[in-house]
mmCIF file of all heavy atoms in Angstrom:
data_model
loop_
_atom_site.group_PDB
_atom_site.id
_atom_site.type_symbol
_atom_site.label_atom_id
_atom_site.label_comp_id
_atom_site.label_asym_id
_atom_site.label_seq_id
_atom_site.Cartn_x
_atom_site.Cartn_y
_atom_site.Cartn_z
ATOM 1 N N ILE A 306 -2.520 10.190 -18.674
ATOM 2 C CA ILE A 306 -3.328 9.415 -19.588
ATOM 3 C C ILE A 306 -3.591 10.219 -20.847
ATOM 4 O O ILE A 306 -3.717 9.755 -21.944
ATOM 5 C CB ILE A 306 -4.605 9.078 -18.898
ATOM 6 C CG1 ILE A 306 -4.339 8.134 -17.771
ATOM 7 C CG2 ILE A 306 -5.570 8.395 -19.849
ATOM 8 C CD1 ILE A 306 -5.587 7.661 -17.032
ATOM 9 N N GLY A 307 -3.786 11.584 -20.710
ATOM 10 C CA GLY A 307 -4.171 12.446 -21.867
ATOM 11 C C GLY A 307 -2.997 12.626 -22.802
ATOM 12 O O GLY A 307 -3.201 13.265 -23.782
ATOM 13 N N THR A 308 -1.785 12.204 -22.468
ATOM 14 C CA THR A 308 -0.670 12.402 -23.299
ATOM 15 C C THR A 308 -0.710 11.415 -24.533
ATOM 16 O O THR A 308 -0.795 10.206 -24.371
ATOM 17 C CB THR A 308 0.658 12.139 -22.593
ATOM 18 O OG1 THR A 308 0.692 13.084 -21.518
ATOM 19 C CG2 THR A 308 1.858 12.373 -23.541
ATOM 20 N N ILE A 309 -0.797 11.973 -25.780
ATOM 21 C CA ILE A 309 -0.873 11.183 -26.948
ATOM 22 C C ILE A 309 0.548 10.828 -27.371
ATOM 23 O O ILE A 309 1.234 11.647 -27.980
ATOM 24 C CB ILE A 309 -1.613 11.856 -28.044
ATOM 25 C CG1 ILE A 309 -3.075 12.226 -27.550
ATOM 26 C CG2 ILE A 309 -1.714 11.072 -29.279
ATOM 27 C CD1 ILE A 309 -3.873 12.967 -28.605
ATOM 28 N N LYS A 310 0.981 9.695 -26.967
ATOM 29 C CA LYS A 310 2.368 9.278 -27.203
ATOM 30 C C LYS A 310 2.469 7.800 -27.549
ATOM 31 O O LYS A 310 1.838 7.003 -26.882
ATOM 32 C CB LYS A 310 3.213 9.603 -25.964
ATOM 33 C CG LYS A 310 4.647 9.104 -26.049
ATOM 34 C CD LYS A 310 5.357 9.403 -24.700
ATOM 35 C CE LYS A 310 6.837 8.951 -24.759
ATOM 36 N NZ LYS A 310 7.483 9.193 -23.479
ATOM 37 N N ALA A 311 3.217 7.519 -28.558
ATOM 38 C CA ALA A 311 3.308 6.079 -28.940
ATOM 39 C C ALA A 311 4.243 5.296 -27.946
ATOM 40 O O ALA A 311 5.280 5.825 -27.525
ATOM 41 C CB ALA A 311 4.010 5.936 -30.272
ATOM 42 N N PRO A 312 3.673 4.222 -27.351
ATOM 43 C CA PRO A 312 4.406 3.478 -26.352
ATOM 44 C C PRO A 312 5.678 2.878 -26.901
ATOM 45 O O PRO A 312 5.680 2.409 -28.104
ATOM 46 C CB PRO A 312 3.444 2.416 -25.884
ATOM 47 C CG PRO A 312 2.527 2.237 -27.091
ATOM 48 C CD PRO A 312 2.474 3.581 -27.728
ATOM 49 N N GLU A 313 6.793 2.849 -26.153
ATOM 50 C CA GLU A 313 8.096 2.352 -26.566
ATOM 51 C C GLU A 313 8.081 0.843 -26.372
ATOM 52 O O GLU A 313 8.786 0.305 -25.469
ATOM 53 C CB GLU A 313 9.165 3.012 -25.890
ATOM 54 C CG GLU A 313 9.215 4.522 -26.129
ATOM 55 C CD GLU A 313 10.277 5.202 -25.345
ATOM 56 O OE1 GLU A 313 10.923 4.470 -24.528
ATOM 57 O OE2 GLU A 313 10.466 6.448 -25.506
ATOM 58 N N THR A 314 7.319 0.112 -27.121
ATOM 59 C CA THR A 314 7.177 -1.339 -26.902
ATOM 60 C C THR A 314 7.527 -2.132 -28.153
ATOM 61 O O THR A 314 7.227 -3.261 -28.214
ATOM 62 C CB THR A 314 5.747 -1.699 -26.554
ATOM 63 O OG1 THR A 314 4.839 -1.167 -27.611
ATOM 64 C CG2 THR A 314 5.311 -1.057 -25.220
ATOM 65 N N GLY A 315 8.247 -1.565 -29.154
ATOM 66 C CA GLY A 315 8.688 -2.244 -30.326
ATOM 67 C C GLY A 315 7.524 -2.324 -31.294
ATOM 68 O O GLY A 315 6.746 -1.413 -31.471
ATOM 69 N N THR A 316 7.350 -3.498 -31.813
ATOM 70 C CA THR A 316 6.264 -3.747 -32.796
ATOM 71 C C THR A 316 4.920 -3.727 -32.143
ATOM 72 O O THR A 316 4.728 -4.401 -31.146
ATOM 73 C CB THR A 316 6.409 -5.070 -33.549
ATOM 74 O OG1 THR A 316 7.746 -5.075 -34.106
ATOM 75 C CG2 THR A 316 5.387 -5.283 -34.589
ATOM 76 N N PRO A 317 3.945 -2.949 -32.576
ATOM 77 C CA PRO A 317 2.635 -2.858 -31.996
ATOM 78 C C PRO A 317 1.957 -4.289 -31.933
ATOM 79 O O PRO A 317 2.143 -5.032 -32.952
ATOM 80 C CB PRO A 317 1.819 -1.907 -32.797
ATOM 81 C CG PRO A 317 2.881 -1.091 -33.534
ATOM 82 C CD PRO A 317 4.001 -2.018 -33.724
#
Side-chain angles (χ1 to χ4, degrees):
I306 295 179
T308 301
I309 301 178
K310 177 181 177 182
E313 299 176 357
T314 57
T316 304

